[in-house]
Amino acid sequence: METNYKVAYEHEWKVLKTRDLNEVAKRRVAIYDEEKNQIRLKFLNNDYILDCNEETIVREKDGFVHSAETSVIILNYLGYTEIDTEKSDKWISMKEIPNGGMQFFPAFYKNTVIHLINKYGYDLDGFEQSCLELGGVPCNVGDKGFEFEVFPKVSVRVGLWEGDDEIAPGVNVLFNKDVQNFMHVEAAIGMGMYIGKQILKNEISGLL
């Protein structure tokens, strides 16, 4: 694991393990096995097992282990706050996420949005195919838009406006309006970058 993310990974485990894990599971729509001290959580259409003794996170079906960056996002969703609420059905852009969204947007645009525009700005069908393969559900954003249930209480929408000879293409990434109730702003941005990378089929460096 990269040094900075290893420190963050260890910190997120420490925070999570201070929580009542039965309550965590109820709040975040997960399953806690008290005997095994394990949490089962759905992350982007796959079940993951978090072993709280070994401090490991593996995909249940094949044992795949994500990078430290992505693992931190998973842990942050579970342990960041003790707020118990349903997710909002209203949407905001990254710039509108409180406590840092505006600050981090330029880097997000450079590292994620511009790559989506460059690859799919004139290829609406390719964008649709990639989103469907990732489990996206069509939604009303852009010329084509897709919603991804990243966690049970947190989703991301990605919409593409196709370009032509007169109009430049565009991409918009939206988050549940109350995403800050479930994740730190940096984790939410990391989540947006993760979705972007998966749509791009891992053609840029970043999260796995």
Side-chain angles (χ1 to χ4, degrees), residues 121-138:
Y122 299 92
D123 183 14
L124 207 57
D125 290 340
F127 174 74
E128 178 179 33
Q129 180 180 349
S130 183
C131 289
L132 290 173
E133 289 175 356
L134 189 59
V137 177

Side-chain angles (χ1 to χ4, degrees), residues 14 18 51 95 121 143 175 178 186 191:
K14 186 179 296 185
T18 66
D51 190 310
K95 292 180 181 180
D143 294 323
F175 301 80
D178 59 353
E186 290 187 52
M191 176 180 66

Side-chain angles (χ1 to χ4, degrees), residues 34-196:
E34 193 165 356
E35 182 177 344
K36 294 181 178 180
N37 200 22
Q38 294 179 342
I39 299 171
R40 177 182 280 105
L41 174 70
K42 191 168 289 295
F43 173 60
L44 202 62
N45 302 315
N46 284 287
D47 288 322
Y48 285 77
I49 302 297
L50 289 80
D51 190 310
C52 300
N53 295 321
E54 299 296 328
E55 297 189 354
T56 57
I57 306 172
V58 300
R59 189 161 59 197
E60 187 175 36
K61 68 180 181 181
D62 57 10
F64 175 76
V65 177
H66 277 291
S67 69
E69 296 108 306
T70 306
S71 297
V72 166
I73 295 167
I74 294 170
L75 289 166
N76 189 261
Y77 167 76
L78 288 170
Y80 176 58
T81 75
E82 295 184 284
I83 295 174
D84 186 8
T85 184
E86 296 302 314
K87 70 179 180 182
S88 174
D89 59 0
K90 300 184 185 303
W91 300 87
I92 57 174
S93 69
M94 175 168 291
K95 292 180 181 180
E96 297 172 289
I97 299 176
N99 303 316
M102 180 69 78
Q103 174 187 349
F104 289 108
F105 178 76
F108 178 72
Y109 184 87
K110 178 181 178 181
N111 294 327
T112 302
V113 174
I114 195 66
H115 292 285
L116 290 167
I117 291 172
N118 288 341
K119 179 168 184 178
Y120 295 118
Y122 299 92
D123 183 14
L124 207 57
D125 290 340
F127 174 74
E128 178 179 33
Q129 180 180 349
S130 183
C131 289
L132 290 173
E133 289 175 356
L134 189 59
V137 177
C139 65
N140 188 27
V141 180
D143 294 323
K144 280 194 182 294
F146 294 87
E147 181 175 333
F148 302 90
E149 186 176 270
V150 186
F151 296 109
K153 289 194 172 183
V154 176
S155 296
V156 172
R157 286 183 170 182
V158 182
L160 171 68
W161 284 262
E162 189 174 32
D164 57 30
D165 293 338
E166 298 180 354
I167 301 175
V171 165
N172 198 6
V173 180
L174 301 176
F175 301 80
N176 300 107
K177 186 177 181 180
D178 59 353
V179 65
Q180 76 277 2
N181 287 339
F182 304 106
M183 307 176 72
H184 188 277
V185 61
E186 290 187 52
I189 291 166
M191 176 180 66
M193 291 177 63
Y194 177 85
I195 293 298

Side-chain angles (χ1 to χ4, degrees), residues 2-20:
E2 304 85 339
T3 302
N4 290 343
Y5 284 107
K6 182 178 181 181
V7 172
Y9 180 81
E10 292 171 351
H11 171 73
E12 293 292 349
W13 268 115
K14 186 179 296 185
V15 171
L16 179 60
K17 290 167 78 171
T18 66
R19 309 292 195 200
D20 181 327

